[in-house]
Amino acid sequence: TVALGGKQIDMRGIASVTGSFVIDLDAKSASGKKLKVSRSASGPAWGGVVSQYVAPILDVRSASVPQISIEKQVYAVTPGVSGTTASAGNVKVGDRIRVTLTVTCDRDIEYVAVTDPRAACLEPVDQLSGYAQSDGVWFYREVRDSSTNIFIPFLSKGTHVISYDCTADRAGDYSLGVADAQSQYAPEITAHSAGALLPVE
């Protein structure tokens, strides 16, 4: 039984079929601030509460633990006589964009997964998934419709910059996407980057 805003909700029918249930709460109302769960049957029981909400992208601050942190930056890449030049600033349609993920860890970590949602205006230059190397780190890069996922078998202690290139294909203001890194063996070792907007002219 769940008590929500003075109302008793019997969840036995739902829980017996799915093993879980979802309740939408209005955080602005008084009833959405308190949740009481009770069980009348005997015997052991366990459960958990997961809270999800949507926040404006600029309100998302970076979060990390002492073991790992991640930062995300984008640069416009311009070819030149002596090579390419990366600069932060105005992005125009057709520009080549370099996405850099800076991962810092205070110890060697095995099997780290980095999930990087791309802005809706960015199309990856390398369309095929496969093994790659960046800044001395070998990884498998999975290219999906809306994100680039990076699976690192071994991440040594220190700071590593992993990058990949995209093309800006349309104008507008876009959410850049929040990149996160997580140890697959120790899920509590996780971090994510700050939210940002990407304006394209």
Side-chain angles (χ1 to χ4, degrees):
T1 302
V2 175
L4 180 60
K7 296 180 181 179
Q8 298 289 328
I9 303 173
D10 189 350
M11 304 307 254
R12 285 177 295 182
I14 299 172
S16 65
V17 176
T18 65
S20 63
F21 51 86
V22 177
I23 302 174
D24 292 327
L25 303 178
D26 183 4
K28 295 180 181 178
S29 68
S31 62
K33 295 180 180 178
K34 288 187 177 181
L35 178 66
K36 180 182 178 182
V37 180
S38 60
R39 183 171 184 267
S40 58
S42 60
W46 59 90
V49 176
V50 177
S51 174
Q52 294 180 324
Y53 61 94
V54 177
I57 190 67
L58 293 178
D59 289 350
V60 179
R61 302 289 181 251
S62 62
S64 62
V65 293
Q67 296 91 337
I68 195 168
S69 65
I70 185 169
E71 294 180 6
K72 180 177 180 178
Q73 299 289 335
V74 293
Y75 302 95
V77 177
T78 306
V81 178
S82 59
T84 58
T85 303
S87 61
N90 294 338
V91 174
K92 297 181 179 178
V93 174
D95 283 355
R96 191 180 182 105
I97 306 300
R98 181 154 298 156
V99 179
T100 63
L101 305 170
T102 304
V103 182
T104 303
C105 50
D106 70 349
R107 65 192 66 193
D108 295 344
I109 305 177
E110 292 183 331
Y111 298 106
V112 175
V114 177
T115 303
D116 183 27
R118 294 189 306 272
C121 64
L122 297 182
E123 285 296 324
V125 172
D126 295 323
Q127 296 283 329
L128 299 178
S129 301
Y131 288 95
Q133 182 265 353
S134 181
D135 195 27
V137 178
W138 287 94
F139 53 85
Y140 185 84
R141 181 176 57 220
E142 179 189 41
V143 181
R144 299 184 68 86
D145 289 341
S146 60
S147 66
T148 297
N149 302 325
I150 297 169
F151 303 99
I152 307 169
F154 179 79
L155 189 64
S156 61
K157 176 181 178 180
T159 299
H160 307 277
V161 179
I162 300 171
S163 62
Y164 62 92
D165 287 358
C166 297
T167 302
D169 67 353
R170 71 197 81 168
D173 294 330
Y174 299 92
S175 297
L176 185 56
V178 176
D180 66 75
Q182 185 175 43
S183 166
Q184 300 303 282
Y185 279 167
E188 68 274 10
I189 300 178
T190 184
H192 66 78
S193 64
L197 286 176
L198 179 64
V200 181
E201 299 175 356

